[in-house]
Amino acid sequence: MDDLDRHIIGLLGADARISVATLARRLKVARSTIQARLERLETNGTIAGYTLKLGDAGRQGRLRASVLLMIEPRTQAACLTRLRAIAEVERVFTTSGRFDLLLELSAPNTQVLDQVLDQIGSMAGVKSSESLIHLATKIDRAV
């Protein structure tokens, strides 16, 4: 999976109903290129559905992390807008307690994960963050 594939997945993650033509315009590539990429990602199991669910081939070998964010008051909407633009951010939850947001990240390697964590930590409105790298899955009942 290369950068174009990651950008396609990021845009589909934000809007799984986006058209192939719109994807091509936004990514500045030919419509046929997007169509071919989507077919390949579907065939090899990377894209398992259009709610955007990554299949085993898409998750295999990826680093996963949870990030707890404490944000400035009244900056949640702006922070969420910026987080939506980061392809490695898969889910964001609001939380109770000390932290305001819980992020689930997935990255292909430690360098990308480190860059994403730096990007998130330096965002306007972020007071502090705590990162937890996932090591092994012991129980997984998610559908």
Side-chain angles (χ1 to χ4, degrees), residues 53-127:
K53 289 190 217 176
L54 291 178
D56 290 338
R59 288 190 311 251
Q60 191 173 23
R62 294 185 65 83
L63 295 172
R64 309 219 11 103
S66 294
V67 179
L68 296 162
L69 291 184
M70 193 179 299
I71 58 174
E72 299 286 339
R74 295 177 291 285
T75 62
Q76 188 176 91
C79 286
L80 289 172
T81 297
R82 287 189 291 279
L83 291 169
R84 277 187 193 94
I86 301 172
E88 291 77 13
V89 176
E90 291 186 337
R91 290 183 183 92
V92 179
F93 304 93
T94 56
T95 64
S96 62
R98 222 170 40 132
F99 293 96
D100 302 298
L101 298 174
L102 168 67
L103 286 57
E104 289 185 0
L105 307 181
S106 177
N109 55 53
T110 55
Q111 291 81 14
V112 172
L113 182 60
D114 190 44
Q115 289 170 351
V116 170
L117 292 172
D118 286 346
Q119 183 179 1
I120 292 168
S122 66
M123 282 178 19
V126 173
K127 290 193 316 191

Side-chain angles (χ1 to χ4, degrees), residues 21-36:
T22 302
L23 282 170
R25 272 194 309 277
R26 288 193 185 163
L27 297 172
K28 296 179 175 53
V29 296
R31 185 185 182 288
S32 59
T33 300
I34 296 295
Q35 189 64 49

